[in-house]
């Protein structure tokens, strides 16, 4: 039987390409031929507008969605955290790949000594409201500046500018062999829902691809990232909200941590729970209800009035 070559769509950044190749390798191990097709996204082409002003949802995914709907590609590889939690298109996630390091990290070209000086007004670069708010909660005397671009561009900017540091997803740096730039892992920061995980999308009615791609699914990652994304979805705060969510499994239990903050970082709402894997299905939803009832609804109202 002659099999058709699976056309894998990806953004053309180094990180996206690495991730797509990873999926290609797994498919090739299963006996399939693959080909990479590069698609430019709005988020990659416009490097000046802050992400929070770019219409938010799907700036990195829309172009890939269109290529997929037009049958120019069979599957699309996405950073799962870039996928909006609601998708009205006839596309669906068929596999979630095993998660890498989910943590945020600090790149500080001149070292991290300044973190210990309570009088030093450091400048930290990030365009994520989640990172900004958590950073300011911990270091209220620091200043946050916006930074845009893919991982490589942002790394160049940190080296050229006079900032004290910039915040990156550790997985993004490590995957493309830039992990040595990490000065510190921010273990105290709650990462974005699904950070460090990749999702493979197919057309909803493509049962042939579904059968193939679903073999790549990593069940534990799927459970954890689904809980995180359920939480984000129910917070109804959108992908640019100062909301973090992280779940991991240890000894048959799901450990879940979530956080929501006012943009200036002054108020923070925390949630932490541990439940058995068998009972974790609803955890993201119940956590959102609990946190909203506790007062985090203010965070959502602030986002909506922005
Ligand atoms: N926001 C863009 C984005 N989407 C996915 C990653 C990194 C890889 C991942 O989290 O899976 C990054 C870069 C970053 O946040 O520093």
């Amino acid at each position: 039987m002659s099999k058709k070559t699976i056309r894998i769509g990806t953004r053309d950044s180094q990180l996206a390409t690495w991730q797509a190749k990873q999926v290609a390798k797994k498919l090739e191990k299963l006996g399939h031929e693959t080909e990479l097709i590069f698609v430019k996204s709005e988020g990659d082409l416009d490097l000046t507008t802050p992400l929070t002003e770019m219409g938010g949802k799907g700036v990195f995914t829309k172009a890939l969605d269109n290529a997929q709907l037009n049958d120019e590609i069979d599957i699309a590889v996405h950073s799962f955290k870039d996928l909006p939690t609601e998708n009205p298109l006839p596309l669906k996630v068929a596999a979630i790949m095993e998660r890498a390091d989910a943590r945020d990290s600090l790149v500080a070209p001149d070292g991290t000594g300044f973190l210990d000086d309570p009088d030093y007004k450091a400048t930290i670069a990030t365009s994520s409201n989640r990172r900004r708010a958590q950073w300011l909660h911990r270091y209220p005397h620091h200043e946050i500046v916006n930074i845009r671009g893919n991982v490589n561009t942002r790394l160049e900017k940190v080296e050229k500018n006079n900032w004290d540091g910039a915040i990156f997803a550790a997985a993004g740096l490590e995957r493309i062999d830039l992990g040595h730039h990490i000065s510190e892992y921010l273990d105290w920061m709650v990462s974005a829902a699904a950070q460090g995980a990749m999702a493979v999308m197919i057309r909803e009615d493509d049962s042939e691809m579904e059968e193939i791609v679903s073999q790549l699914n990593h069940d534990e990652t799927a459970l954890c990232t689904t809980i995180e994304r359920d939480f984000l979805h129910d917070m109804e705060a959108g992908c640019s909200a100062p909301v973090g969510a992280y779940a991991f499994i240890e000894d048959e239990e799901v450990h879940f941590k979530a956080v929501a903050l006012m943009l200036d970082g002054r108020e923070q709402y925390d949630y932490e729970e541990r439940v058995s894997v068998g009972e974790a299905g609803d955890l993201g939803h119940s956590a959102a209800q609990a946190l909203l009832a506790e007062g985090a609804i203010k965070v959502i109202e602030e986002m909506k009035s922005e």
Side-chain angles (χ1 to χ4, degrees):
M1 193 182 85
S2 77
K3 280 191 203 160
K4 69 169 189 185
T5 300
I6 300 174
R7 297 164 301 169
I8 305 177
T10 174
R11 293 162 55 193
D12 66 358
S13 71
Q14 195 186 349
L15 175 60
T17 305
W18 184 94
Q19 294 183 163
K21 281 188 178 158
Q22 206 48 27
V23 171
K25 260 194 233 165
K26 295 258 155 87
L27 290 172
E28 280 160 20
K29 267 203 186 139
L30 293 173
H32 304 280
E33 295 202 359
T34 64
E35 136 186 48
L36 291 194
I37 294 181
F38 296 98
V39 177
K40 284 204 183 293
S41 78
E42 185 193 350
D44 293 316
L45 291 171
D46 177 352
L47 289 181
T48 47
T49 312
L51 271 186
T52 44
E53 285 168 28
M54 275 183 60
K57 273 187 192 170
V59 288
F60 291 114
T61 54
K62 219 179 283 171
L64 274 173
D65 289 346
N66 288 334
Q68 200 156 21
L69 294 171
N70 294 335
D71 197 15
E72 292 157 22
I73 58 177
D74 298 304
I75 67 175
V77 180
H78 296 275
S79 286
F80 200 13
K81 83 166 173 184
D82 294 338
L83 285 184
T85 53
E86 277 183 33
N87 159 38
L89 301 169
L91 299 171
K92 68 177 178 193
V93 172
I96 297 161
M97 314 289 290
E98 182 169 7
R99 170 133 83 181
D101 197 330
R103 287 174 296 176
D104 291 295
S105 65
L106 181 71
V107 173
D110 299 324
T112 57
F114 68 91
L115 292 174
D116 302 321
D117 181 349
D119 297 319
Y120 180 69
K121 191 172 178 287
T123 303
I124 302 295
T126 178
S127 52
S128 144
N129 284 330
R130 175 187 61 82
R131 290 172 176 153
R132 161 195 296 266
Q134 288 189 84
W135 191 271
L136 289 175
H137 186 76
R138 191 176 172 99
Y139 302 105
H141 54 295
H142 288 183
E143 190 190 345
I144 302 289
V145 294
N146 275 315
I147 182 170
R148 278 291 325 279
N150 64 40
V151 174
N152 307 71
T153 319
R154 280 188 284 145
L155 206 50
E156 277 166 34
K157 287 183 182 175
V158 190
E159 255 128 47
K160 268 197 225 120
N161 283 277
N162 262 332
W163 303 322
D164 297 287
I167 307 172
F168 293 79
L173 290 169
E174 284 163 356
R175 283 182 168 149
I176 55 176
D177 287 329
L178 295 172
H180 55 280
H181 289 277
I182 295 174
S183 311
E184 192 164 291
Y185 289 91
L186 305 174
D187 291 307
W188 52 270
M189 188 176 273
V190 183
S191 46
Q195 184 158 305
M198 304 183 257
V200 187
M201 292 265 263
I202 59 167
R203 278 182 296 277
E204 209 167 57
D205 57 6
D206 192 344
S207 51
E208 187 191 354
M209 274 306 132
E210 179 159 25
E211 207 181 306
I212 297 170
V213 170
S214 60
Q215 297 173 62
L216 305 185
N217 192 62
H218 187 258
D219 293 341
E220 292 197 354
T221 302
L223 174 63
C224 290
T225 53
T226 299
I227 292 167
E228 294 160 14
R229 283 168 60 82
D230 285 346
F231 173 81
L232 183 66
H233 173 267
D234 288 6
M235 291 297 283
E236 284 181 36
C239 60
S240 63
V243 168
Y246 176 59
F248 67 95
I249 298 175
E250 200 176 84
D251 300 331
E252 287 301 301
E253 280 186 320
V254 177
H255 297 238
F256 182 62
K257 206 169 172 177
V259 70
L261 301 95
M262 299 303 278
L263 283 171
D264 64 8
R266 263 183 286 185
E267 281 174 60
Q268 174 167 325
Y269 301 89
D270 290 289
Y271 186 91
E272 200 163 351
E273 191 168 28
R274 239 171 58 182
V275 299
S276 68
V277 166
E279 283 159 32
D282 229 32
L283 191 48
H285 298 297
S286 56
Q289 287 324 304
L291 212 56
L292 288 169
E294 240 169 69
I297 185 79
K298 275 175 69 184
V299 171
I300 314 311
E301 281 159 3
E302 182 184 35
M303 282 311 292
K304 287 187 174 154
S305 68
E306 273 290 295

